[in-house]
Amino acid sequence: MVRAMLRCLCMLSTVVLLAGCRGPQNFLFAEGTAADRLARLGWIALISFSVVTVVVWCLLVAVVSRRRGSFGEHAPVDTTSGINWIIVGGLIVPITVLSTLFFFSLDTLRDFPMGKLMHPAPSIRVTARQWWFDAEYLDPSLPNRFHAPTELHIPAGAPVNLELVTADVIHSFWVPKLHGKVDMVPGMTNRIRLQADHPGIYDGECGEYCGMQHAHMRLRVFADTPADYARWKSRQLADASEPQTPAEQRGKADFMAAPCAVCHTIRGTDAHGTVGPDLTHVGSRTRIAGGMLVNNTANLQAWIVHAQSFKPGTQMPDINSLSGQQLSELTLYLQSLK
Ligand code: CUA
């Protein structure tokens, strides 16, 4: 019985550990400077708590599996004989483990520059909204600012300072492999230094319950090689490209006539809305709907017509005034905005 229980426990813990290792958002396998420090703290906590757990389970199993007998076969319990166990297990071990972790935490905190005097000043402002992230590139060396909703690009191997704010309720910026959670609080500006050691795509999400669609508020950080980053930036700085085919031109006209232009901006056109994400380069993004849907034709059309079914409560209304042809031309136009 006891052996079967132990076997079960071993299998269960192996499955849990392996499942954790595979996740693209596992903070214990960090890929950035800030996340590295947090991962180190995480490993210390994980190992010390695991050791304590294993010892407790061994003691429990030893007690349970001891040969049992009747009350008569045992000497009366001496109430003072367990006092050493209580002192060691209830005082010395918790105090040692918790105070060690406390000092490691303080030491880790010193490595996070979050103050107002961050140098250089943050070059990207990330604003959280219900329910999407908006990155605004405000580096003074840029000829103009631009927005990159849901997907933000940084150069790999270089530190980038970020400003984190919210436009409505409390959210939390969390890209586990690059940085720990940092809250985005109304009326407050938080600052972090983000760095990805290698080029790649790092998934993140909102880490603080912020309303009905909190679970669908996602974020992707693309760490590019210097050449890719320069190419991406110069494309984003440009205004939207002009529609090339007659279908795309009709799609653009429908965009301007439908409610779309009231809520979205497409730089270089008459669409100046700021309620929803900037769509100037929507065709170059991998996700839409705050990271919830892959950016392909089917999802784009479904999102335009049935946003409220995908993400009830979102500010994007169901646009059902378009004919089938108008919908496909509108989609072609949006996909041409690379
Ligand atoms: Cu935003 Cu949860």
Side-chain angles (χ1 to χ4, degrees), residues 128-129 131 133 169-172 206-211 214-215 217:
R129 294 166 186 273
W131 290 276
F133 288 97
V169 299
I170 302 178
H171 302 265
S172 181
C206 178
E208 178 84 35
Y209 181 71
C210 56
H214 155 72
M217 184 167 168

Side-chain angles (χ1 to χ4, degrees), residues 11-328:
M11 274 161 63
L12 196 69
S13 45
T14 313
V15 168
V16 169
L17 277 175
L18 285 178
C21 289
R22 280 157 177 257
Q25 292 183 210
N26 187 334
F27 86 102
L28 288 172
F29 297 90
E31 308 212 21
T33 318
D36 259 345
R37 288 174 192 148
L38 292 173
R40 214 179 307 157
L41 190 63
W43 279 113
I44 293 169
L46 181 68
I47 291 167
S48 30
F49 291 148
S50 301
V51 169
V52 171
T53 307
V54 168
V55 170
V56 169
W57 269 96
C58 289
L59 290 173
L60 218 73
V61 170
V63 169
V64 172
S65 59
R66 263 163 77 172
R67 210 154 68 91
R68 279 170 253 180
S70 65
F71 276 120
E73 287 167 324
H74 289 281
V77 175
D78 175 3
T79 47
T80 55
S81 71
I83 200 80
N84 286 345
W85 283 102
I86 294 172
I87 291 173
V88 173
L91 271 176
I92 297 178
V93 173
I95 287 176
T96 313
V97 172
L98 294 178
S99 49
T100 309
L101 280 173
F102 177 67
F103 286 112
F104 273 119
S105 306
L106 288 185
D107 187 51
T108 307
L109 270 183
R110 285 191 314 170
D111 292 331
F112 285 81
M114 296 169 87
K116 281 194 164 146
L117 300 170
M118 188 179 235
H119 288 292
S123 54
I124 305 173
R125 178 186 297 136
V126 181
T127 306
R129 294 166 186 273
Q130 283 175 315
W131 290 276
W132 53 287
F133 288 97
D134 188 19
E136 186 181 6
Y137 286 68
L138 30 84
D139 190 339
S141 68
L142 296 174
N144 56 283
R145 291 181 173 189
F146 64 87
H147 289 263
T150 301
E151 297 186 348
L152 81 117
H153 287 240
I154 58 170
V160 179
N161 291 346
L162 258 59
E163 202 170 274
L164 304 177
V165 295
T166 171
D168 37 55
V169 299
I170 302 178
H171 302 265
S172 181
F173 180 93
W174 191 32
V175 186
K177 280 185 174 290
L178 300 184
H179 205 287
K181 277 182 200 174
V182 180
D183 279 0
M184 305 161 100
V185 184
M188 245 179 100
T189 302
N190 283 327
R191 294 169 181 83
I192 60 167
R193 181 165 295 158
L194 203 65
Q195 179 173 338
D197 293 336
H198 313 285
I201 301 172
Y202 301 93
D203 285 327
E205 60 191 43
C206 178
E208 178 84 35
Y209 181 71
C210 56
M212 214 157 43
Q213 298 300 332
H214 155 72
H216 294 141
M217 184 167 168
R218 305 186 66 87
L219 167 79
R220 297 193 117 181
V221 176
F222 289 74
D224 298 331
T225 60
D228 283 346
Y229 183 62
R231 212 171 303 137
W232 176 82
K233 212 159 62 171
S234 73
R235 213 168 46 218
Q236 300 296 311
L237 281 165
D239 282 353
S241 50
E242 278 303 314
Q244 298 300 311
T245 66
E248 288 170 14
Q249 280 157 5
R250 287 195 294 274
K252 181 181 178 182
D254 284 332
F255 184 94
M256 300 303 156
C260 318
V262 179
C263 293
H264 295 279
T265 290
I266 297 182
R267 271 186 290 125
T269 72
D270 292 334
H272 300 296
T274 54
V275 177
D278 184 309
L279 301 179
T280 308
H281 298 287
V282 64
S284 66
R285 300 209 290 269
T286 65
R287 301 283 167 110
I288 54 166
M292 184 188 178
L293 301 172
V294 172
N295 188 5
N296 58 32
T297 308
N299 283 343
L300 203 51
Q301 293 188 346
W303 176 247
I304 292 169
V305 183
H306 296 298
Q308 290 300 321
S309 312
F310 282 104
K311 221 169 169 175
T314 177
Q315 285 182 296
M316 170 81 180
D318 290 350
I319 308 290
N320 36 33
S321 54
L322 301 166
S323 70
Q325 190 191 339
Q326 283 176 314
L327 180 63
S328 75

